[in-house]
Amino acid sequence: GHIGTWCRYGLWEASQKEFERARSVFERALDIDYKSQTIWLKYCDMEMQHKFVNHARNLWDRAVTLLPRVDSFWYKYSYMEEMVGAIDNARDVFERWMKWEPDDMGWSAFIKFEMRQNEVEKARQLYEQYTALYPTSRAYIKYASWEEKNRERGLSRIVYQRALEELHPSERSEKLLINFARFEERCKEIDR
């Protein structure tokens, strides 16, 4: 019943080019403990390593369906889809993931993905969803900084102003005010 033994056995079968036997070993290991992240990761990596993309896709889909709170599965699944050029599939994976309301890093990964695809407007919409879901100083600062980085100073100022209006007074942090002030200094708006 030791998971490491099952994984080593499955990988050994794969190294012998006995892929059906390797799959059988990993499936039996999953029957024992389907919550083991190690089994899923080793199994999926084995499929991807040997370029069985559809097998890997089906495995990742099962993994994120059974264990939707394991972020590493979502990251690897979306990354695989992007690497094989299935951009729409990768976007679908991210959209499924966002329904589970992941932490900041999940939203950042989706936004970075959209930026790699040169989809600035989609990334902006994601920031809107992110700040609506997590109305925190941190979220607004990230959004405003992103707009400034994209040379959209007017939009960045609007995000900062919205943060001051929309956030509960207890949520407005010192960091938000300092970042807003520094932004205005960079824009040469000392009076503001």
Side-chain angles (χ1 to χ4, degrees):
H2 187 262
I3 298 305
T5 306
W6 283 97
C7 290
R8 281 193 299 280
Y9 180 29
L11 293 174
W12 179 81
E13 289 288 7
S15 72
Q16 303 300 311
K17 307 293 185 213
E18 293 285 348
F19 299 112
E20 290 305 316
R21 292 174 72 121
R23 288 184 188 112
S24 173
V25 170
F26 279 113
E27 289 295 336
R28 285 182 284 160
L30 287 173
D31 285 343
I32 293 169
D33 184 9
Y34 78 93
K35 291 182 181 180
S36 170
Q37 295 177 30
T38 304
I39 298 171
W40 287 106
L41 292 170
K42 297 281 187 190
Y43 191 4
C44 292
D45 284 345
M46 183 269 301
E47 295 287 9
M48 290 188 308
Q49 221 171 28
H50 296 285
K51 297 182 175 49
F52 296 116
V53 176
N54 284 330
H55 283 281
R57 184 175 287 136
N58 291 337
L59 279 173
W60 285 127
D61 195 58
R62 282 174 53 202
V64 299
T65 300
L66 292 171
L67 302 169
R69 292 290 179 195
V70 180
D71 290 346
S72 60
F73 293 169
W74 293 102
Y75 285 120
K76 287 185 171 262
Y77 187 10
S78 61
Y79 180 74
M80 180 198 76
E81 294 290 9
E82 187 177 359
M83 290 298 100
V84 299
I87 302 305
D88 290 335
N89 289 355
R91 188 171 285 118
D92 290 343
V93 170
F94 274 117
E95 287 170 357
R96 282 178 55 197
W97 186 16
M98 295 308 112
K99 289 177 183 169
W100 286 95
E101 300 177 2
D103 63 5
D104 291 351
M105 299 306 291
W107 286 92
S108 293
F110 194 5
I111 290 164
K112 287 176 185 174
F113 164 79
E114 291 296 4
M115 291 303 291
R116 285 192 300 272
Q117 308 313 314
N118 294 317
E119 295 284 355
V120 177
E121 198 52 46
K122 286 183 180 178
R124 186 170 286 120
Q125 290 170 0
L126 288 171
Y127 265 117
E128 288 292 334
Q129 292 173 9
Y130 170 57
T131 55
L133 187 64
Y134 296 106
T136 62
S137 290
R138 179 180 172 163
Y140 279 97
I141 290 169
K142 286 176 91 171
Y143 186 10
S145 298
W146 177 82
E147 289 289 12
E148 185 180 4
K149 194 172 104 180
N150 287 320
R151 298 187 179 121
E152 294 288 349
R153 287 187 167 178
L155 294 175
S156 183
R157 181 175 288 116
I158 289 169
V159 171
Y160 277 121
Q161 290 169 341
R162 277 183 44 208
L164 294 177
E165 294 167 8
E166 295 173 6
L167 287 176
H168 189 272
S170 65
E171 189 56 47
R172 289 185 210 131
S173 69
E174 182 179 299
K175 188 175 181 182
L176 174 69
L177 298 173
I178 290 171
N179 280 356
F180 193 9
R182 286 183 180 153
F183 165 77
E184 293 296 6
E185 286 176 353
R186 286 190 299 275
C187 293
K188 311 278 192 267
E189 294 283 350
I190 304 304
D191 292 340
R192 283 182 184 245

